[in-house]
Amino acid sequence: ENPRFREMMGRLCGSDYEIFKKSIIRSMPVWATPQWVLDYVLDVGRPNLNPFIKDQYQDVQYFLYTDFHQDKTRPESDFVTVYLYLDDVDAEYSALQMLAGSHKLGMTVYPHSLRRSLTKNDSWFYSDSLGNHMQCPVRTVTGPAGSSTAFHCMTLHGTGFNQSANPRISLRYLIKMNSNGGVADCL
């Protein structure tokens, strides 16, 4: 019901947008994760920690970090992802990282065809299965509690390890555009 949020979503997606999925995301610091869990998930691309969480706490998604991925998993779905920080987030606090322009290659299968640039640490090369390639600069999203970021459902995004003393909490909304459409290039 926040008026600024409603106004932003109205401009982006039209006045009759719909929030169809809400998630609470908890990025766990490495130090707070038991060693046996770290050993088990270390080479997993998107290590969801929920299998190790008691049932009564499953209303939150717990992650150690996430590889670059798209939120879109079905060809028929179109939506905008909105990420809202509930904590002050700097680069070491498992900040959201996005590959600018990556949505332009369309929907691709995880794990995505990515290679970090050998000469620019802040840039990745991305390929689709049709032979198209592009270089995507990394955008690290930092900001105070209450900061929000909206992006296309096919934008590759992920997070690094949380190197802070505290877990980071954020909200993620998946929002359908109205029948008139909305802004296609959110990033």
Short mmCIF file of all heavy atoms in Angstrom, two decimals, residues 21 32 34 37 45 64 113 133 141 150 154 159:
data_model
loop_
_atom_site.label_atom_id
_atom_site.label_comp_id
_atom_site.label_asym_id
_atom_site.label_seq_id
_atom_site.Cartn_x
_atom_site.Cartn_y
_atom_site.Cartn_z
N LYS A 21 3.57 -13.04 -6.91
CA LYS A 21 4.42 -13.83 -6.01
C LYS A 21 5.18 -12.87 -5.10
O LYS A 21 5.71 -11.86 -5.56
CB LYS A 21 5.40 -14.70 -6.79
CG LYS A 21 6.21 -15.61 -5.88
CD LYS A 21 7.03 -16.61 -6.64
CE LYS A 21 7.75 -17.53 -5.67
NZ LYS A 21 8.59 -18.49 -6.33
N ALA A 32 27.76 -17.73 9.70
CA ALA A 32 26.58 -18.23 10.42
C ALA A 32 26.08 -19.56 9.87
O ALA A 32 25.11 -20.11 10.38
CB ALA A 32 25.46 -17.19 10.36
N PRO A 34 26.68 -23.50 9.26
CA PRO A 34 27.53 -24.59 9.76
C PRO A 34 28.45 -25.14 8.66
O PRO A 34 28.06 -25.19 7.49
CB PRO A 34 26.53 -25.65 10.20
CG PRO A 34 25.25 -24.91 10.44
CD PRO A 34 25.26 -23.77 9.46
N VAL A 37 27.13 -27.77 6.29
CA VAL A 37 26.21 -27.26 5.28
C VAL A 37 27.01 -26.58 4.17
O VAL A 37 26.74 -26.76 2.99
CB VAL A 37 25.18 -26.29 5.90
CG1 VAL A 37 24.32 -25.64 4.82
CG2 VAL A 37 24.29 -27.03 6.90
N GLY A 45 25.17 -24.03 -7.64
CA GLY A 45 25.06 -22.70 -8.22
C GLY A 45 24.10 -21.76 -7.50
O GLY A 45 24.36 -20.58 -7.40
N LEU A 64 22.82 -18.75 0.57
CA LEU A 64 24.20 -18.43 0.88
C LEU A 64 24.73 -17.43 -0.15
O LEU A 64 25.43 -16.49 0.19
CB LEU A 64 25.03 -19.71 0.87
CG LEU A 64 26.46 -19.62 1.35
CD1 LEU A 64 26.52 -19.12 2.79
CD2 LEU A 64 27.13 -20.98 1.25
N SER A 113 25.10 -19.60 -20.26
CA SER A 113 26.40 -19.59 -20.92
C SER A 113 27.07 -18.24 -20.65
O SER A 113 26.83 -17.26 -21.35
CB SER A 113 26.23 -19.83 -22.42
OG SER A 113 27.48 -19.82 -23.06
N HIS A 133 25.82 -13.37 -29.00
CA HIS A 133 26.71 -13.09 -27.88
C HIS A 133 26.64 -11.61 -27.55
O HIS A 133 26.40 -10.78 -28.41
CB HIS A 133 28.16 -13.43 -28.23
CG HIS A 133 28.33 -14.77 -28.87
ND1 HIS A 133 28.31 -15.94 -28.17
CD2 HIS A 133 28.51 -15.10 -30.17
CE1 HIS A 133 28.48 -16.95 -29.01
NE2 HIS A 133 28.61 -16.47 -30.23
N VAL A 141 23.85 -3.42 -7.01
CA VAL A 141 22.79 -2.60 -6.43
C VAL A 141 23.03 -2.48 -4.93
O VAL A 141 22.90 -3.45 -4.19
CB VAL A 141 21.40 -3.21 -6.70
CG1 VAL A 141 20.31 -2.34 -6.10
CG2 VAL A 141 21.20 -3.41 -8.20
N ALA A 150 13.75 -2.44 -9.86
CA ALA A 150 12.85 -3.22 -10.71
C ALA A 150 13.61 -3.61 -11.97
O ALA A 150 14.37 -2.81 -12.51
CB ALA A 150 11.62 -2.39 -11.06
N MET A 154 13.86 -11.45 -17.49
CA MET A 154 14.94 -12.20 -18.14
C MET A 154 16.32 -11.59 -17.89
O MET A 154 17.32 -12.05 -18.45
CB MET A 154 14.67 -12.31 -19.64
CG MET A 154 13.50 -13.23 -19.94
SD MET A 154 13.21 -13.48 -21.69
CE MET A 154 12.36 -11.98 -22.14
N THR A 159 23.80 -12.89 -6.53
CA THR A 159 24.42 -12.22 -5.39
C THR A 159 25.74 -12.92 -5.06
O THR A 159 25.91 -14.10 -5.37
CB THR A 159 23.54 -12.27 -4.12
OG1 THR A 159 23.40 -13.64 -3.70
CG2 THR A 159 22.19 -11.65 -4.35
#
